[in-house]
Amino acid sequence: QVQLAESGGGLVQTGGSLRLSCAASGSISVIDVMGWYRQAPGKKREFVAAMTSGGSTVYAESMKGRFTISRDNAKNQMYLQMNSLKPEDTAVYYCAALKNIGVGSSWNAVIHDLSDAGSWGQGTQVTVSS
């Protein structure tokens, strides 16, 4: 199982930006899908964004236009560029990876499987002050 480590979190003001990184222990070229989730105190874990090895992406509605997911296979890293941050974005952000997904899987199924069966990092704290 791939080992993941998030970094890049911190404290920013409303409207600011952060770039989160997720380093994998091995080649991410063999991982079908990687993504980001977040969890705020007292709330359930929330899907943020995901990306397949083929470059397809999906974002949660509240993140569209503000967050961008990307990956660098040469560095075995995945990124989440977060712009126009809001206090509501305050949470611990986690990266996840799933090596294999079924042929013809919908995004809903992929997101569910990634959350349920994927590998996880320890998370990085993002705090947005008002």
Side-chain angles (χ1 to χ4, degrees):
Q1 187 165 291
V2 63
Q3 303 296 311
L4 305 172
E6 302 92 339
S7 63
L11 174 64
V12 298
Q13 293 183 318
T14 297
S17 299
L18 281 175
R19 188 194 189 204
L20 305 184
S21 298
C22 175
S25 60
S27 175
I28 62 173
S29 297
V30 300
I31 300 175
D32 279 355
V33 62
M34 298 182 71
W36 293 91
Y37 293 76
R38 68 185 186 186
Q39 187 166 24
K43 295 185 177 180
K44 295 174 62 178
R45 187 171 59 196
E46 177 186 24
F47 170 74
V48 175
M51 186 176 194
T52 69
S53 60
S56 296
T57 60
V58 65
Y59 298 87
E61 188 65 31
S62 63
M63 288 77 172
K64 290 181 179 178
R66 300 191 299 124
F67 293 5
T68 303
I69 188 172
S70 63
R71 59 199 292 173
D72 187 335
N73 289 352
K75 296 182 178 180
N76 294 325
Q77 290 192 323
M78 176 179 65
Y79 307 98
L80 183 68
Q81 178 66 47
M82 305 185 295
N83 299 323
S84 301
L85 285 164
K86 308 173 182 179
E88 306 95 275
D89 295 319
T90 295
V92 176
Y93 284 71
Y94 300 90
C95 64
L98 188 64
K99 286 189 175 182
N100 298 291
I101 57 174
V103 176
S105 295
S106 66
W107 267 122
N108 283 342
V110 169
I111 292 170
H112 178 271
D113 289 347
L114 179 62
S115 178
D116 185 59
S119 297
W120 295 86
Q122 296 301 305
T124 185
Q125 177 71 48
V126 171
T127 303
V128 184
S129 65
S130 59

